[in-house]
Amino acid sequence: MVVKKEKMKKIIIILLALVPVVGKSQYMKVPTHYDAQITADHIIKGHLKMYLLDSVKVVTEKKNERYITDCGIDPDRAKAKVDKIFAKGKPEYISRTNGGYIFTIAIADRNDDIKVINYVTFHVDAFTQKVEEIEILLGE
């Protein structure tokens, strides 16, 4: 009887050790919120490239509600486009949606803070925590 109890204890310990490994490997944890304000501050300071995926989609709004989409461009070209827009005025972080995975930086006129020249919206991938899409929209 004593031998069976020892064997049962060993079997139970082995099974208990295996259960957490199986339970953790089935699911991937994804944060529900993204701290967009810190990322936006870094982007405004010029550190956009460190937040970009290897290939980025850039959507640019032109006059008369026309949109030009560039898919799969490299981070250097995307950063150059965003820097060109930021040079037009004073960039400011204004809003976030979807738990911070979509956030917007407004480019205000240097002389008139009320007038917005462009909006730049960044879409962050939840798994990689990097920017996968940039939308450059016209202001008022």
Side-chain angles (χ1 to χ4, degrees):
M1 195 75 162
V2 174
V3 175
K4 286 184 179 180
K5 284 185 178 180
E6 291 299 319
K7 281 187 178 181
M8 288 301 288
K9 283 182 181 178
K10 287 182 182 179
I11 291 172
I12 290 173
I13 290 173
I14 291 171
L15 290 175
L16 288 174
L18 292 176
V19 170
V21 174
V22 173
K24 286 183 181 178
S25 65
Q26 291 180 0
Y27 302 102
M28 182 174 183
K29 290 184 179 180
V30 177
T32 57
H33 288 79
Y34 182 75
D35 197 356
Q37 178 124 25
I38 292 173
T39 304
D41 291 339
H42 280 267
I43 290 172
I44 290 170
K45 290 177 185 173
H47 304 289
L48 172 63
K49 195 172 174 187
M50 66 189 264
Y51 292 103
L52 294 177
L53 286 174
D54 293 335
S55 65
V56 183
K57 178 181 175 184
V58 178
V59 178
T60 308
E61 181 184 11
K62 299 295 182 182
K63 292 179 182 174
N64 300 327
E65 296 184 11
R66 291 184 310 128
Y67 294 91
I68 297 173
T69 304
D70 297 322
C71 294
I73 65 173
D74 60 69
D76 291 325
R77 190 167 158 212
K79 184 180 181 325
K81 284 187 173 205
V82 172
D83 288 344
K84 183 179 174 183
I85 298 298
F86 281 5
K88 291 181 179 179
K90 188 173 95 177
E92 293 181 22
Y93 169 77
I94 57 167
S95 68
R96 70 181 180 94
T97 57
N98 196 18
Y101 286 105
I102 300 171
F103 61 94
T104 304
I105 296 175
I107 315 308
D109 190 8
R110 293 188 196 280
N111 300 327
D112 185 9
D113 288 341
I114 298 172
K115 183 180 178 187
V116 176
I117 300 169
N118 287 96
Y119 295 99
V120 182
T121 303
F122 298 90
H123 298 260
V124 178
D125 181 40
F127 295 107
T128 61
Q129 302 288 303
K130 299 227 177 212
V131 175
E132 63 182 353
E133 182 178 345
I134 301 171
E135 293 179 6
I136 301 170
L137 307 172
L138 295 175
E140 295 127 21

